[in-house]
Amino acid sequence: CGLTLLGIGALYEKTNKQEYFDYIKESMDYFINDDGTINTYNPTVYNIDHINNGKDCFWLYNKTGEEKYIKAVELLKSQLRTHPRTKSGAYFHKLIYPNQIWLDGLFMGEPFCAQYAKECGHPEEFDDIVNQFVIAERSTYEPRCGLYAHACDESREVFWADKNTGRSLNVWGRSCGWFCMAMVDVLDFIPDDHPGRKTLIDMLNKVLSNVVKYQDESGVWYQVLDNRRSDNYKESTCSCMFAYAMNKGIKYNYIDEATYKPYLEKAVDGIFNEFIRVDGDYAYLKNCCAVAGLGPADNPRRDGSLDYYFSEPVIENDCKGVGPFLFLAAEYIY
């Protein structure tokens, strides 16, 4: 939900419609108390997904100056100071997933960390932020296709992990989408003179150069990127994420416009042709994978197989698709 609020915030920046701002503030104020505590939040669960809403706290603090939002930012940051890490130094995705690096977690944690480092005066943290990407890229890279596995278990012990590499079995579209969005969003805050900036830009070019190879003729991408089994399907959340990342990459000259603009234009057309359903005054984003994960140990169904990825529910207007769609709309149309 926090991701969708950020997408609405992107529209507010372009339109100044008060209803957008009010919706974001009312949604966050339901959880954030005057002392900065957050209803329902428990830092010791050590779930990096919970960090994502810190971006909304920054957004509201910068708009209103209300201290409760920056206090909430500090509370979320306190989780990361003790958040468990793998031996290589990457954050556990969650405490219930020990020794596991998931690409999803880069988007959930690192843009927040980069904004904190810049706006709260902790430039020494940029090295660690870049290192999180370096470790994840190295750990999940799948040489058979040039893309990235959903996750890696450094211990090689969990049931879904390859016993030699630790990687999960398949290349899930949305995990690669999280990876791409994380890079372009972190680059908003990495200083020009920091060596990690070039590292991330080079990494973004490597990822996108392979992502576009798997773009369907329709302009969109599939649930599992490098597979065309009959029950695979065109999936909207990853398609919106890739288009958003390409659009932002072109806008800020991270990637070559002449090379990628044709892929971007094809993607935007494909998103509208394949995924947007209009019914009266309402629009719907179709073909959203509702959820996909790996394990934990007591959930063997989530084994990273093709059968698993094609079995999860497919719904409309999932926040993990609507948020990136709104980001794309705000940046591409305006």
Side-chain angles (χ1 to χ4, degrees):
C1 294
L3 173 58
T4 295
L5 293 179
L6 290 169
I8 295 170
L11 292 182
Y12 173 77
E13 300 288 359
K14 302 295 183 180
T15 65
N16 288 315
K17 287 188 177 180
Q18 188 64 32
E19 62 188 311
Y20 293 158
F21 177 86
D22 292 344
Y23 185 77
I24 297 165
K25 192 172 189 304
E26 290 168 12
S27 297
M28 294 299 289
D29 283 354
Y30 181 84
F31 293 94
I32 298 175
N33 302 307
D34 288 343
D35 62 356
T37 54
I38 303 169
N39 298 329
T40 77
Y41 171 62
N42 178 1
T44 61
V45 171
Y46 290 118
N47 181 344
I48 206 162
D49 289 345
H50 294 166
I51 300 299
N52 184 63
N53 281 14
K55 305 168 195 174
D56 295 281
C57 297
F58 267 122
W59 192 87
L60 285 166
Y61 177 70
N62 289 331
K63 288 284 184 287
T64 68
E66 292 184 31
E67 289 295 317
K68 67 178 182 179
Y69 299 121
I70 202 67
K71 290 178 180 178
V73 163
E74 292 290 354
L75 175 60
L76 292 166
K77 183 63 171 140
S78 72
Q79 173 187 319
L80 294 178
R81 292 193 180 100
T82 56
H83 197 101
R85 294 178 181 238
T86 67
K87 287 184 178 179
S88 67
Y91 290 124
F92 284 17
H93 187 62
K94 299 179 184 179
L95 188 61
I96 62 170
Y97 300 134
N99 305 303
Q100 296 174 28
I101 306 165
W102 293 28
L103 290 177
D104 317 31
L106 292 172
F107 179 81
M108 302 305 163
E110 299 315 313
F112 169 83
C113 288
Q115 188 167 7
Y116 183 89
K118 181 177 180 179
E119 297 187 7
C120 297
H122 292 277
E124 71 280 358
E125 297 187 2
F126 286 124
D127 289 349
D128 182 62
I129 292 163
V130 173
N131 199 40
Q132 295 292 320
F133 284 89
V134 171
I135 296 168
E137 198 272 348
R138 180 180 66 230
S139 301
T140 60
Y141 181 70
E142 189 55 76
R144 73 167 189 269
C145 58
L147 295 170
Y148 297 85
H150 188 168
C152 176
D153 172 27
E154 284 194 2
S155 73
R156 316 288 196 262
E157 294 176 355
V158 73
F159 68 90
W160 51 257
D162 182 278
K163 297 309 177 188
N164 293 317
T165 67
R167 293 192 297 269
S168 55
L169 298 175
N170 285 293
V171 175
W172 181 39
R174 188 155 72 225
S175 65
C176 291
W178 290 129
F179 189 20
C180 293
M181 290 207 304
M183 281 182 277
V184 295
D185 286 358
V186 160
L187 284 166
D188 288 343
F189 307 106
I190 301 288
D192 290 343
D193 60 353
H194 191 282
R197 187 171 180 85
K198 183 179 186 303
T199 300
L200 292 177
I201 291 172
D202 289 347
M203 191 180 296
L204 178 66
N205 276 270
K206 178 182 176 181
V207 175
L208 288 178
S209 70
N210 288 305
V211 163
V212 296
K213 294 175 184 177
Y214 296 90
Q215 186 178 28
D216 185 65
E217 184 59 35
S218 64
V220 301
W221 285 265
Y222 276 72
Q223 164 77 335
V224 174
L225 295 178
D226 63 336
N227 181 271
R228 289 297 181 270
R229 209 171 84 173
S230 61
D231 48 351
N232 200 357
Y233 59 92
K234 298 171 184 176
E235 203 278 324
S236 61
T237 69
C238 74
S239 297
C240 292
M241 290 175 176
F242 292 141
Y244 165 72
M246 277 195 284
N247 186 65
K248 191 169 183 180
I250 290 169
K251 179 177 180 180
Y252 293 107
N253 297 313
Y254 304 146
I255 60 176
D256 179 64
E257 180 174 4
T259 300
Y260 286 98
K261 190 173 182 180
Y263 295 110
L264 173 61
E265 292 176 340
K266 187 175 181 180
V268 171
D269 288 344
I271 289 166
F272 278 91
N273 291 333
E274 297 286 336
F275 301 137
I276 298 299
R277 177 175 71 85
V278 178
D279 183 2
D281 293 335
Y282 296 92
Y284 300 82
L285 183 70
K286 304 186 296 181
N287 284 45
C288 303
C289 171
V291 65
L294 297 162
D298 61 356
N299 192 353
R301 187 180 78 85
R302 303 197 340 161
D303 62 359
S305 66
L306 293 174
D307 289 343
Y308 166 67
Y309 283 115
F310 302 155
S311 70
E312 287 287 15
V314 181
I315 63 174
E316 292 185 338
N317 283 357
D318 185 85
C319 288
K320 297 178 290 293
V322 173
F325 178 83
L326 294 178
F327 274 131
L328 175 64
E331 295 296 328
Y332 187 84
I333 295 172
Y334 286 95

